[in-house]
Amino acid sequence: MSDAEFLTAEWRDLVLLNFAVDPVVLAPHVPPGTELDLFDGVACVSLVGFMFLRTRLLGCPVPWHRDFEELNLRFYVRRPGRPDEPHVGADGYKRGVAFFKEIVPRAAVAMVARRLYGERYEAWPMKHVRTVTSEGAGEVAYGARVGGRWHELGLAFRGEPAAPAPGSEAEFIAEHYWGYVAGPGGPTTEYRVEHPPWRVWTGVDPLLRLDAAALYGPALAPALAGPPRSAFLAEGSAVTVYRGRRLT
């Protein structure tokens, strides 16, 4: 595994709305060499909105491309790891994420991610809002304008963030340090994402106004039609994304 850094940034204010999905729906999208990672026997997908800040590519800042929003839909996979690799669980597995789609407002960012990693990035206009009151409550929301309309998600929060309880759903959702992507007919690429554990708020009053069928296809639309099974706001941190390698 190469330890060469590809990208450094800060990921902040991560809204995570989580839904249960029939594993049969996810099976065709699981990257070869991985398997679905379940939480208490449930296959989950997460709609995630967050801020990319202070982005540097190969150590260099790119003018007008340092701070921007991202909206993605991801699901959870795992594969066996070696004892000498980082972030291998006690059960011998590396836990990671794979993506259905990632939306950013910068065309150059989307192009680089598609060409170098094969990630399913698209570039569309985006917006975000973060409000905080003097009582320690607030709201974070993100939007992407796709197909002539705004698609939005958000979450309110109160109090102080805390480390997720060991074994909790919040820990399962937040603590993944590997990414997997498979190009059409090609091998799976694995890459590592390094960051400290995140503190989270348990969110309240989740906002979800989007056309799931238009964004992600009719197979996933039913799972995203109802309220999320859980909702968290992660504080975020500095992150490092390392160069990927192809699995054999």
Side-chain angles (χ1 to χ4, degrees), residues 79-82 88-95:
R79 73 182 301 266
R82 302 191 311 270
V88 176
D91 58 0
Y93 282 95
K94 298 186 285 187
R95 288 182 155 76

mmCIF file with all atom_site columns, all heavy atoms in Angstrom, residues 79-82 88-95:
data_model
loop_
_atom_site.group_PDB
_atom_site.id
_atom_site.type_symbol
_atom_site.label_atom_id
_atom_site.label_alt_id
_atom_site.label_comp_id
_atom_site.label_asym_id
_atom_site.label_entity_id
_atom_site.label_seq_id
_atom_site.pdbx_PDB_ins_code
_atom_site.Cartn_x
_atom_site.Cartn_y
_atom_site.Cartn_z
_atom_site.occupancy
_atom_site.B_iso_or_equiv
_atom_site.pdbx_formal_charge
_atom_site.auth_seq_id
_atom_site.auth_comp_id
_atom_site.auth_asym_id
_atom_site.auth_atom_id
_atom_site.pdbx_PDB_model_num
ATOM 1  N N   . ARG A 1 79 ? -13.536 -5.629  3.594  1.00 0.00 ? 79 ARG A N   1
ATOM 2  C CA  . ARG A 1 79 ? -12.726 -6.698  3.011  1.00 0.00 ? 79 ARG A CA  1
ATOM 3  C C   . ARG A 1 79 ? -11.658 -7.097  4.014  1.00 0.00 ? 79 ARG A C   1
ATOM 4  O O   . ARG A 1 79 ? -11.261 -6.286  4.874  1.00 0.00 ? 79 ARG A O   1
ATOM 5  C CB  . ARG A 1 79 ? -12.109 -6.274  1.669  1.00 0.00 ? 79 ARG A CB  1
ATOM 6  C CG  . ARG A 1 79 ? -10.979 -5.274  1.775  1.00 0.00 ? 79 ARG A CG  1
ATOM 7  C CD  . ARG A 1 79 ? -10.471 -4.883  0.389  1.00 0.00 ? 79 ARG A CD  1
ATOM 8  N NE  . ARG A 1 79 ? -9.988  -6.009  -0.388 1.00 0.00 ? 79 ARG A NE  1
ATOM 9  C CZ  . ARG A 1 79 ? -8.713  -6.389  -0.434 1.00 0.00 ? 79 ARG A CZ  1
ATOM 10 N NH1 . ARG A 1 79 ? -7.788  -5.725  0.248  1.00 0.00 ? 79 ARG A NH1 1
ATOM 11 N NH2 . ARG A 1 79 ? -8.347  -7.416  -1.175 1.00 0.00 ? 79 ARG A NH2 1
ATOM 12 N N   . PRO A 1 80 ? -11.153 -8.324  3.945  1.00 0.00 ? 80 PRO A N   1
ATOM 13 C CA  . PRO A 1 80 ? -10.136 -8.749  4.908  1.00 0.00 ? 80 PRO A CA  1
ATOM 14 C C   . PRO A 1 80 ? -8.870  -7.906  4.784  1.00 0.00 ? 80 PRO A C   1
ATOM 15 O O   . PRO A 1 80 ? -8.476  -7.496  3.686  1.00 0.00 ? 80 PRO A O   1
ATOM 16 C CB  . PRO A 1 80 ? -9.871  -10.217 4.528  1.00 0.00 ? 80 PRO A CB  1
ATOM 17 C CG  . PRO A 1 80 ? -11.088 -10.649 3.788  1.00 0.00 ? 80 PRO A CG  1
ATOM 18 C CD  . PRO A 1 80 ? -11.572 -9.426  3.050  1.00 0.00 ? 80 PRO A CD  1
ATOM 19 N N   . GLY A 1 81 ? -8.251  -7.636  5.913  1.00 0.00 ? 81 GLY A N   1
ATOM 20 C CA  . GLY A 1 81 ? -7.005  -6.891  5.939  1.00 0.00 ? 81 GLY A CA  1
ATOM 21 C C   . GLY A 1 81 ? -5.888  -7.694  6.577  1.00 0.00 ? 81 GLY A C   1
ATOM 22 O O   . GLY A 1 81 ? -6.119  -8.746  7.182  1.00 0.00 ? 81 GLY A O   1
ATOM 23 N N   . ARG A 1 82 ? -4.671  -7.188  6.427  1.00 0.00 ? 82 ARG A N   1
ATOM 24 C CA  . ARG A 1 82 ? -3.510  -7.816  7.058  1.00 0.00 ? 82 ARG A CA  1
ATOM 25 C C   . ARG A 1 82 ? -3.272  -7.176  8.426  1.00 0.00 ? 82 ARG A C   1
ATOM 26 O O   . ARG A 1 82 ? -3.578  -5.993  8.636  1.00 0.00 ? 82 ARG A O   1
ATOM 27 C CB  . ARG A 1 82 ? -2.268  -7.628  6.197  1.00 0.00 ? 82 ARG A CB  1
ATOM 28 C CG  . ARG A 1 82 ? -2.368  -8.184  4.788  1.00 0.00 ? 82 ARG A CG  1
ATOM 29 C CD  . ARG A 1 82 ? -0.993  -8.169  4.122  1.00 0.00 ? 82 ARG A CD  1
ATOM 30 N NE  . ARG A 1 82 ? -0.347  -6.867  4.273  1.00 0.00 ? 82 ARG A NE  1
ATOM 31 C CZ  . ARG A 1 82 ? -0.471  -5.857  3.412  1.00 0.00 ? 82 ARG A CZ  1
ATOM 32 N NH1 . ARG A 1 82 ? -1.214  -5.991  2.327  1.00 0.00 ? 82 ARG A NH1 1
ATOM 33 N NH2 . ARG A 1 82 ? 0.155   -4.715  3.611  1.00 0.00 ? 82 ARG A NH2 1
ATOM 34 N N   . VAL A 1 88 ? -7.452  -2.025  10.761 1.00 0.00 ? 88 VAL A N   1
ATOM 35 C CA  . VAL A 1 88 ? -7.998  -3.369  10.615 1.00 0.00 ? 88 VAL A CA  1
ATOM 36 C C   . VAL A 1 88 ? -8.653  -3.731  11.938 1.00 0.00 ? 88 VAL A C   1
ATOM 37 O O   . VAL A 1 88 ? -8.027  -3.657  12.996 1.00 0.00 ? 88 VAL A O   1
ATOM 38 C CB  . VAL A 1 88 ? -6.908  -4.399  10.242 1.00 0.00 ? 88 VAL A CB  1
ATOM 39 C CG1 . VAL A 1 88 ? -7.493  -5.807  10.185 1.00 0.00 ? 88 VAL A CG1 1
ATOM 40 C CG2 . VAL A 1 88 ? -6.282  -4.033  8.911  1.00 0.00 ? 88 VAL A CG2 1
ATOM 41 N N   . GLY A 1 89 ? -9.934  -4.093  11.903 1.00 0.00 ? 89 GLY A N   1
ATOM 42 C CA  . GLY A 1 89 ? -10.667 -4.371  13.130 1.00 0.00 ? 89 GLY A CA  1
ATOM 43 C C   . GLY A 1 89 ? -10.246 -5.663  13.786 1.00 0.00 ? 89 GLY A C   1
ATOM 44 O O   . GLY A 1 89 ? -9.493  -6.469  13.227 1.00 0.00 ? 89 GLY A O   1
ATOM 45 N N   . ALA A 1 90 ? -10.751 -5.869  14.992 1.00 0.00 ? 90 ALA A N   1
ATOM 46 C CA  . ALA A 1 90 ? -10.431 -7.084  15.735 1.00 0.00 ? 90 ALA A CA  1
ATOM 47 C C   . ALA A 1 90 ? -10.911 -8.329  15.005 1.00 0.00 ? 90 ALA A C   1
ATOM 48 O O   . ALA A 1 90 ? -10.384 -9.433  15.233 1.00 0.00 ? 90 ALA A O   1
ATOM 49 C CB  . ALA A 1 90 ? -11.047 -7.019  17.132 1.00 0.00 ? 90 ALA A CB  1
ATOM 50 N N   . ASP A 1 91 ? -11.898 -8.159  14.126 1.00 0.00 ? 91 ASP A N   1
ATOM 51 C CA  . ASP A 1 91 ? -12.394 -9.298  13.347 1.00 0.00 ? 91 ASP A CA  1
ATOM 52 C C   . ASP A 1 91 ? -11.597 -9.529  12.077 1.00 0.00 ? 91 ASP A C   1
ATOM 53 O O   . ASP A 1 91 ? -11.923 -10.415 11.281 1.00 0.00 ? 91 ASP A O   1
ATOM 54 C CB  . ASP A 1 91 ? -13.869 -9.096  12.999 1.00 0.00 ? 91 ASP A CB  1
ATOM 55 C CG  . ASP A 1 91 ? -14.126 -7.812  12.215 1.00 0.00 ? 91 ASP A CG  1
ATOM 56 O OD1 . ASP A 1 91 ? -13.154 -7.071  11.938 1.00 0.00 ? 91 ASP A OD1 1
ATOM 57 O OD2 . ASP A 1 91 ? -15.291 -7.542  11.891 1.00 0.00 ? 91 ASP A OD2 1
ATOM 58 N N   . GLY A 1 92 ? -10.550 -8.711  11.856 1.00 0.00 ? 92 GLY A N   1
ATOM 59 C CA  . GLY A 1 92 ? -9.688  -8.896  10.692 1.00 0.00 ? 92 GLY A CA  1
ATOM 60 C C   . GLY A 1 92 ? -10.139 -8.184  9.436  1.00 0.00 ? 92 GLY A C   1
ATOM 61 O O   . GLY A 1 92 ? -9.543  -8.372  8.373  1.00 0.00 ? 92 GLY A O   1
ATOM 62 N N   . TYR A 1 93 ? -11.154 -7.323  9.533  1.00 0.00 ? 93 TYR A N   1
ATOM 63 C CA  . TYR A 1 93 ? -11.688 -6.637  8.359  1.00 0.00 ? 93 TYR A CA  1
ATOM 64 C C   . TYR A 1 93 ? -11.317 -5.158  8.346  1.00 0.00 ? 93 TYR A C   1
ATOM 65 O O   . TYR A 1 93 ? -11.231 -4.503  9.392  1.00 0.00 ? 93 TYR A O   1
ATOM 66 C CB  . TYR A 1 93 ? -13.212 -6.745  8.311  1.00 0.00 ? 93 TYR A CB  1
ATOM 67 C CG  . TYR A 1 93 ? -13.702 -8.085  7.816  1.00 0.00 ? 93 TYR A CG  1
ATOM 68 C CD1 . TYR A 1 93 ? -14.034 -9.090  8.727  1.00 0.00 ? 93 TYR A CD1 1
ATOM 69 C CD2 . TYR A 1 93 ? -13.852 -8.344  6.458  1.00 0.00 ? 93 TYR A CD2 1
ATOM 70 C CE1 . TYR A 1 93 ? -14.494 -10.327 8.281  1.00 0.00 ? 93 TYR A CE1 1
ATOM 71 C CE2 . TYR A 1 93 ? -14.315 -9.569  6.004  1.00 0.00 ? 93 TYR A CE2 1
ATOM 72 C CZ  . TYR A 1 93 ? -14.635 -10.554 6.921  1.00 0.00 ? 93 TYR A CZ  1
ATOM 73 O OH  . TYR A 1 93 ? -15.090 -11.761 6.471  1.00 0.00 ? 93 TYR A OH  1
ATOM 74 N N   . LYS A 1 94 ? -11.123 -4.647  7.134  1.00 0.00 ? 94 LYS A N   1
ATOM 75 C CA  . LYS A 1 94 ? -11.043 -3.210  6.878  1.00 0.00 ? 94 LYS A CA  1
ATOM 76 C C   . LYS A 1 94 ? -12.430 -2.736  6.471  1.00 0.00 ? 94 LYS A C   1
ATOM 77 O O   . LYS A 1 94 ? -13.039 -3.315  5.566  1.00 0.00 ? 94 LYS A O   1
ATOM 78 C CB  . LYS A 1 94 ? -10.037 -2.896  5.759  1.00 0.00 ? 94 LYS A CB  1
ATOM 79 C CG  . LYS A 1 94 ? -8.627  -3.312  6.090  1.00 0.00 ? 94 LYS A CG  1
ATOM 80 C CD  . LYS A 1 94 ? -7.645  -2.858  5.023  1.00 0.00 ? 94 LYS A CD  1
ATOM 81 C CE  . LYS A 1 94 ? -7.749  -3.705  3.776  1.00 0.00 ? 94 LYS A CE  1
ATOM 82 N NZ  . LYS A 1 94 ? -6.670  -3.374  2.807  1.00 0.00 ? 94 LYS A NZ  1
ATOM 83 N N   . ARG A 1 95 ? -12.920 -1.714  7.134  1.00 0.00 ? 95 ARG A N   1
ATOM 84 C CA  . ARG A 1 95 ? -14.263 -1.203  6.845  1.00 0.00 ? 95 ARG A CA  1
ATOM 85 C C   . ARG A 1 95 ? -14.157 0.055   6.004  1.00 0.00 ? 95 ARG A C   1
ATOM 86 O O   . ARG A 1 95 ? -13.374 0.958   6.293  1.00 0.00 ? 95 ARG A O   1
ATOM 87 C CB  . ARG A 1 95 ? -15.017 -0.936  8.144  1.00 0.00 ? 95 ARG A CB  1
ATOM 88 C CG  . ARG A 1 95 ? -15.407 -2.225  8.798  1.00 0.00 ? 95 ARG A CG  1
ATOM 89 C CD  . ARG A 1 95 ? -16.196 -2.124  10.069 1.00 0.00 ? 95 ARG A CD  1
ATOM 90 N NE  . ARG A 1 95 ? -16.976 -3.341  10.234 1.00 0.00 ? 95 ARG A NE  1
ATOM 91 C CZ  . ARG A 1 95 ? -16.458 -4.500  10.636 1.00 0.00 ? 95 ARG A CZ  1
ATOM 92 N NH1 . ARG A 1 95 ? -15.171 -4.582  10.894 1.00 0.00 ? 95 ARG A NH1 1
ATOM 93 N NH2 . ARG A 1 95 ? -17.223 -5.577  10.739 1.00 0.00 ? 95 ARG A NH2 1
#
